Structure formats: structure tokens, C-alpha cells
Amino acid sequence: MCATDNIKHLFYMNLALEQAKYALSEEEVPVGAIIVDDKGTVISSAHNRAEHMGCQIGHAEILAIAEACKVRGDWRLDDCSIYVTLEPCLMCFGLINLSRLKAVFFGASSPLFGCGIDNKEAFSIYKEGLLVKGGLGSKESARLLKRFFEERRNGREESVMENRDSFLRKMKERLLSKRAEFSAFLKKMSEEGSKRERQIMDSADEASALNMENLQSSIQNTEISEAKLIEEALLRIDKGEYGVCISCGKPISDTRLEHSPYAARCISCQETHES
């Protein structure tokens, strides 16, 4: 490829990259494509819209080819070339061949989803002599893709953190409410116990008095145990340690905390601790 041709191809690839940037601004995978006729006229341009369309036919190459066919009034694009910022997938490369384009120029390679254009035997049923050239503007194309997936990953991580923080706030409210309810219950039990104790003392029934003493002891033990668990859980929340296993340091699942709000260990560590 001579210097003049290289400049020309880079010019067209930059137009495709502009389309990729449009995709990025719309939170689509940043892939752009343009189609140029034999006179050097750009007859169509497109960018990924799979998310907006809710269908995988929203790939940049497919939309660009559809528009080019509409402009030309013919599905045959024999004298046209397509410039796309990412190696076409199998679906798109199949359409490129069936539409009889004469050349495909792409930017970054796609080891995961690319069709493996260099495998000529796999596409021997299609048009012979299709010119394929990769690596044009590959750095910029890869940079846009990296930016997209980093932003998406960071967004997911932030969402997970927000959901976790919201869950922990709800659990704190639940524990505070439980503490208040439990205190009211114990107070009521204590009052009823005192009333019952006076009735027993008045009857001078030793057996009943013994039962009442056992009941009072049980209530007291329950009060100490339950209150301790609540306070320990609230303390862990205030320290930012609630929901983290005290043994292995890994997060305790929300499901476990829903069923066991006082849990200080994950299920695996709890089983080991009890064995």
C-alpha cells in the first residue's frame, strides 16, 4: 500500500471512528462503519445501535450496508468498500460477502467475536478476491472499546456498592426496630412476671413459686443473649464491619443476613466454627 493510499484509507477510517464515538455517547459498544463507492464518495455511515434496537442486527456494518443499498437502489455493492473500526463478526462478514463489497478495512482485531477473516477456506463459498486489510486506526479503536468497557464495569461496581449500602442501611433500621420491640416485650414480660409472682406469693404455693423463679431466670437469660446479639450487630454496622465474615473476611450474602441478621460468619465458616 503506497503512502497516498494509506492516507486515504486512514481518512476514511477516521470517519468510521467518528461514528464509533457517537455509539460511545449513546452507551453502545463503540463500533462505527462507513461505505465508500469507487469514486471515493461516502454513501452511508452508521454506528452500533444494538442496545437501542434491542436486536443484534443493530451492528454498524449491517446498518451501513442497509443504508448503502437504499441509496444505490440495489443490494449489489460490487464497487464499494467498507471501513469498520472493529473486525467484523461472522454475521457481518457474511453480509459483507453476500453484498459483494470489493474490500473491507477494519481497525482493531476481535479475537473473541471476530470471524477470523484470515481463514479464507471458511469463506470460500463467497465472493472471490475480496480485499481485506486490518490494523487501520487500531489504537484509537481499541482505546474507545477499552474506555467503554471500563466505564461499564465501574458503573456496575458502583451500582453493586450502592445496592449493598442501601441493604446495610435497611438492616440497621431493622435491627434498631427489633431492639425497640424486644425491649418493649421484655418490659411487658417483666411486668407480667412481677404480677404473677405476687399472686404466687399470696397463694404460698411453693411449686408455683419455683416455676416462676425458673421462668424469670429464662427471661433474664434470653434478654441478655438477644440484646447482646443486637448490640454486636449494630456495633459492626457502625464500624463498617457488618456483612463481612469475621473468620475469612469475605462478604456474607444478603440472603444469609436476611434470615440471620446477627450472623458474623459466612455459612462455610459458621459450619467450620460449629464443628
Side-chain angles (χ1 to χ4, degrees):
M1 186 183 297
C2 67
T4 302
D5 285 341
N6 192 48
I7 293 173
K8 178 185 69 174
H9 293 313
L10 285 174
F11 170 77
Y12 289 129
M13 184 57 72
N14 282 331
L15 295 180
L17 284 166
E18 288 300 314
Q19 288 295 317
K21 291 174 183 177
Y22 288 138
L24 182 64
S25 69
E26 296 176 1
E27 298 184 352
E28 295 274 0
V29 176
V31 177
I34 68 164
I35 292 179
V36 182
D37 66 16
D38 60 341
K39 297 178 181 178
T41 302
V42 177
I43 61 173
S44 71
S45 60
H47 58 273
N48 264 8
R49 292 187 57 82
E51 296 297 330
H52 284 70
M53 294 176 66
C55 180
Q56 283 297 307
I57 62 170
H59 283 203
E61 301 96 313
I62 292 178
L63 298 178
I65 289 173
E67 180 63 21
C69 292
K70 185 177 179 181
V71 170
R72 297 288 292 271
D74 192 350
W75 63 265
R76 302 170 184 82
L77 303 174
D78 301 76
D79 59 348
C80 298
S81 301
I82 185 168
Y83 293 78
V84 57
T85 59
L86 183 66
E87 180 185 0
C89 67
L90 185 61
M91 173 179 67
C92 292
F93 191 62
L95 182 60
I96 288 170
N97 275 276
L98 289 170
S99 300
R100 299 184 183 177
L101 280 99
K102 68 176 183 180
V104 52
F105 300 92
F106 67 90
S109 297
S110 179
L112 186 60
F113 296 110
C115 65
I117 288 178
D118 56 342
N119 183 5
K120 295 180 180 179
E121 292 182 2
F123 303 103
S124 60
I125 63 171
Y126 296 117
K127 177 181 177 179
E128 294 183 3
L130 175 66
L131 174 64
V132 175
K133 175 67 177 177
L136 292 170
S138 59
K139 289 184 179 179
E140 178 63 10
S141 178
R143 187 189 69 79
L144 290 174
L145 289 163
K146 182 179 179 181
R147 176 182 168 186
F148 171 79
F149 288 109
E150 283 182 348
E151 289 178 354
R152 194 171 187 181
R153 182 169 58 253
N154 291 337
R156 285 176 178 171
E157 289 174 354
E158 290 174 3
S159 177
V160 169
M161 290 298 293
E162 288 175 2
N163 291 338
R164 183 68 170 181
D165 289 343
S166 176
F167 173 76
L168 292 178
R169 284 195 298 270
K170 290 179 181 179
M171 289 304 298
K172 184 173 183 178
E173 292 172 2
R174 177 179 167 184
L175 287 166
L176 288 171
S177 176
K178 191 173 184 65
R179 180 171 64 180
E181 292 175 1
F182 188 67
S183 297
F185 170 75
L186 289 175
K187 183 179 179 181
K188 182 178 180 181
M189 288 292 292
S190 180
E191 291 173 351
E192 291 181 353
S194 298
K195 181 179 179 181
R196 181 62 178 165
E197 185 177 7
R198 286 193 298 272
Q199 292 175 346
I200 292 172
M201 293 299 293
D202 291 342
S203 67
D205 185 335
E206 292 183 6
S208 296
L210 181 61
N211 288 335
M212 176 53 63
E213 185 179 346
N214 291 334
L215 176 61
Q216 290 290 81
S217 177
S218 177
I219 291 173
Q220 186 178 16
N221 290 336
T222 301
E223 176 182 6
I224 294 173
S225 178
E226 189 82 5
K228 184 179 180 181
L229 290 172
I230 291 174
E231 295 305 326
E232 286 178 350
L234 288 170
L235 182 61
R236 288 198 301 277
I237 287 178
D238 291 337
K239 288 184 176 181
E241 299 171 354
Y242 184 79
V244 178
C245 178
I246 61 175
S247 295
C248 68
K250 295 180 180 179
I252 301 172
S253 70
D254 293 355
T255 302
R256 173 161 169 73
L257 291 173
E258 284 279 4
H259 292 287
S260 306
Y262 310 139
R265 293 182 175 86
C266 63
I267 293 177
S268 179
C269 289
Q270 186 64 37
E271 290 175 350
T272 302
H273 179 71
E274 293 175 352
S275 62

